[in-house]
Amino acid sequence: MSAIKNSYGVEANFDGLVGPSHHYAGLSDGNIASKSNAQSIANPKAAALQGLMKMKALADRGFAQGVLPPHLRPNTSVLRSIGFTGSDAEVIAKAWKQAPEIASRCFSASAMWTANAATVSPAPDTQDGKTHFTPANLTRMFHRSFESRFTARVLKQIFADERYFAHHDPLPAGHYFGDEGAANHTRLAPSHSEKGVEFFVYGEQAFNETRVKPTRYPARQSLEASYAIARLHGLDFDKTVFAQQNPDVIDQGVFHNDVIAVGTTNCLFHHEQAFYQSAEVIAELKAKMNSDDFSVVEVPTSQVSVQDAVSTYLFNTQLLDVSQGGKPSFMLVAPTECEENAAVSAYLKELEQSSSAPIDEVVFFDLRESMKNGGGPACLRLRVQLQQAELNGLGARVLIDDSLYEDLCDWVNTHYRDRLAYEDLTDPQLIDELKAAAIALEQVLGMSGLYELN
Ligand code: SUG
């Protein structure tokens, strides 16, 4: 196995550790997997171990691989904020009685999809030379709308060194500034450590009713939110592209741009139908990248339909730069669903062999538990481009090595159930189990006091 370490800059992937309350509640309108698996039986233990296996495999290949902790569930702060009182157990019992649809959402483990945790602009792109973080407000889906507070705390604790990192508050609540984080943001650049082009893809212009927008499913990212982040992060607008997602594909289940496009450094891999006015978008990206090394790999509908892209998550793959010695080369981390679909699997074989596209290797992972809620390999990770000094100075034990992997697997095996049905959420014993797991995890990650607030 080759080690892809770059002495002056790396792209670290911070994967969300699947939380012990992982279940299928059918909560996300426009997310076909979430809706169609509603109330099927989940296996939280398998879900967490599947995610850890991907992290370990990428760490073993030499990639910088981090982990972000799950959020404590149920979220009793939300229930208290809407008037439920008493001890935690009383608050939850009252909520189940008076407002079960709200109580159940407070158990969601959806923070596992850390591509929605924040938007990150690395130091080379920003005016002040710091890496900027804005936690996503996730305002469109109630069960996700209360993730940002805890996410902000986690990011501040891990990326604590103020010489290197700047943290912003989540954008104002409400769909006008609907922000779903890195799932709608791609950074392209000659290399991880050089100034790049930040590419924001939005679903709607919220203040402009006359513009095209999806009609069936919600647009979860607004242009206004993307602009706000670019301003807050101090980006150079000459090196920033704002593009509208094709509303027709949102209406076919592409609820985030990362379900239909993925990119890193010198490569953008996307479906023909991903963007509204696609030719203009690609031309602007090419002009702003201004490099012969930049390649755009466009997958035609004749080879892979939007429906197959959505059901296999071909584009919710991780595109990892494995270039060595000047020749661009990329590896794709795909879910096993891609291998099982005839059209997608044939396309991927052709891609690996093609000499015109720089994607030379595809590796598959079983992430079925997450996939059944609409979360593929790329949903599970937040990318942070870091210099070696920044990587060495993180404020918690979150970089995956053999010992952290083993500790986390032990922790999962000790604290997780292997079966969780929707009805099990009302089991009072589950609340104690979730708390005990959280307390133990603080020790493993060296993040004491992490779960004092949720
Ligand atoms: O927000 N699913 C998540 C999946 C997020 C995927 N992330 C990216 N594409 N980056 C969502 O729709 C389903 C929860 C449930 O139904 O139980 C859920 O929240």
Side-chain angles (χ1 to χ4, degrees):
M1 293 218 185
S2 60
I4 324 293
K5 287 217 170 86
N6 184 326
S7 57
Y8 53 90
V10 295
E11 178 181 80
N13 284 287
F14 285 83
D15 281 44
L17 182 53
V18 178
S21 67
H22 159 65
H23 65 283
Y24 301 111
L27 298 178
S28 284
D29 192 23
N31 170 342
I32 291 166
S34 151
K35 283 288 173 196
S36 53
N37 290 304
Q39 315 232 339
S40 63
I41 312 279
N43 182 338
K45 186 179 285 187
L49 295 175
Q50 286 168 1
L52 280 165
M53 197 171 286
K54 171 168 88 77
M55 295 184 228
K56 176 68 164 58
L58 294 183
D60 284 349
R61 287 203 52 158
F63 296 102
Q65 178 67 57
V67 63
L68 295 177
H71 296 202
L72 178 59
R73 295 290 177 256
N75 188 323
T76 48
S77 306
V78 171
L79 297 173
R80 289 181 194 282
S81 76
I82 54 171
F84 293 106
T85 54
S87 66
D88 280 357
E90 285 164 350
V91 161
I92 295 156
K94 285 177 192 170
W96 274 119
K97 208 161 159 205
Q98 283 181 34
E101 63 293 341
I102 298 174
S104 77
R105 282 166 167 78
C106 290
F107 280 84
S108 180
S110 53
M112 70 172 84
W113 298 296
T114 54
N116 306 118
T119 305
V120 183
S121 296
D125 299 353
T126 67
Q127 220 159 35
D128 62 2
K130 293 186 182 183
T131 294
H132 286 244
F133 295 82
T134 297
N137 61 20
L138 293 165
T139 208
R140 272 285 184 180
M141 304 282 148
F142 176 70
H143 70 288
R144 305 211 61 182
S145 64
F146 43 82
E147 289 175 23
S148 60
R149 194 161 77 134
F150 186 77
T151 296
R153 244 153 49 83
V154 167
L155 294 176
K156 281 181 186 157
Q157 193 166 340
I158 295 175
F159 303 99
D161 193 329
E162 290 176 5
R163 285 174 304 165
Y164 303 132
F165 304 115
H167 295 271
H168 302 276
D169 290 335
L171 298 180
H175 84 279
Y176 287 105
F177 285 95
D179 172 27
E180 306 261 333
N184 298 313
H185 172 255
T186 305
R187 178 176 188 266
L188 303 162
S191 74
H192 295 310
S193 52
E194 286 167 83
K195 184 167 175 166
V197 170
E198 299 212 6
F199 178 36
F200 292 85
V201 181
Y202 60 92
E204 67 173 355
Q205 282 195 35
F207 284 101
N208 188 342
E209 288 300 329
T210 61
R211 298 302 292 254
V212 291
K213 52 176 71 179
T215 52
R216 185 170 179 213
Y217 293 137
R220 290 167 64 164
Q221 180 85 30
S222 77
L223 173 62
E224 291 82 349
S226 298
Y227 266 130
I229 289 169
R231 279 190 296 268
L232 287 163
H233 291 193
L235 299 183
D236 175 353
F237 276 67
D238 291 338
K239 298 288 265 179
T240 309
V241 176
F242 299 91
Q244 179 160 7
Q245 205 183 338
N246 178 354
D248 295 343
V249 299
I250 296 181
D251 283 339
Q252 291 173 69
V254 182
F255 57 97
H256 288 137
N257 177 59
D258 71 2
V259 177
I260 196 111
V262 60
T264 192
T265 57
N266 264 320
C267 184
L268 177 70
F269 177 55
H270 74 100
H271 191 274
E272 181 187 3
Q273 295 188 52
F275 312 117
Y276 181 63
Q277 296 175 333
S278 186
E280 284 89 334
V281 174
I282 301 301
E284 189 180 350
L285 283 172
K286 284 185 174 163
K288 290 188 170 170
M289 281 294 283
N290 191 23
S291 159
D292 292 341
D293 289 336
F294 177 49
S295 30
V296 175
V297 182
E298 180 174 289
V299 182
T301 309
S302 57
Q303 280 191 277
V304 177
S305 65
V306 172
Q307 198 186 11
D308 280 348
V310 171
S311 68
T312 63
Y313 268 33
L314 168 61
F315 299 95
N316 198 261
T317 38
Q318 288 177 251
L319 186 64
L320 299 171
D321 189 337
V322 293
S323 309
Q324 272 171 336
K327 184 182 168 292
S329 182
F330 294 85
M331 168 177 142
L332 208 58
V333 174
T336 41
E337 283 77 354
C338 288
E339 226 177 352
E340 292 160 2
N341 175 295
V344 171
S345 150
Y347 174 79
L348 285 173
K349 285 204 179 93
E350 192 184 305
L351 182 68
E352 274 179 303
Q353 266 135 44
S354 151
S355 54
S356 58
I359 301 172
D360 300 318
E361 185 186 1
V362 184
V363 291
F364 297 96
F365 286 92
D366 176 0
L367 296 163
R368 279 179 213 283
E369 285 286 323
S370 169
M371 285 286 285
K372 282 175 67 186
N373 250 339
C379 298
L380 284 163
R381 59 92 175 98
L382 179 68
R383 290 179 286 187
V384 187
Q385 291 81 15
L386 296 165
Q387 306 298 306
Q388 199 60 50
E390 298 165 350
L391 200 59
N392 296 342
L394 298 180
R397 183 185 177 222
V398 288
L399 289 179
I400 297 287
D401 54 15
D402 289 352
S403 123
L404 180 56
Y405 173 72
E406 272 165 37
D407 288 353
L408 288 172
C409 289
D410 286 349
W411 174 77
V412 168
N413 284 317
T414 308
H415 293 281
Y416 281 50
R417 295 188 182 190
D418 58 13
R419 184 185 193 283
L420 198 62
Y422 184 79
E423 303 74 57
D424 296 329
L425 301 178
T426 54
D427 172 3
Q429 202 188 312
L430 179 66
I431 298 164
D432 295 339
E433 290 172 19
L434 298 175
K435 267 197 188 143
I439 290 164
L441 186 63
E442 288 181 351
Q443 301 309 309
V444 175
L445 299 179
M447 297 177 89
S448 69
L450 179 67
Y451 291 109
E452 272 161 21
L453 294 168
N454 66 8

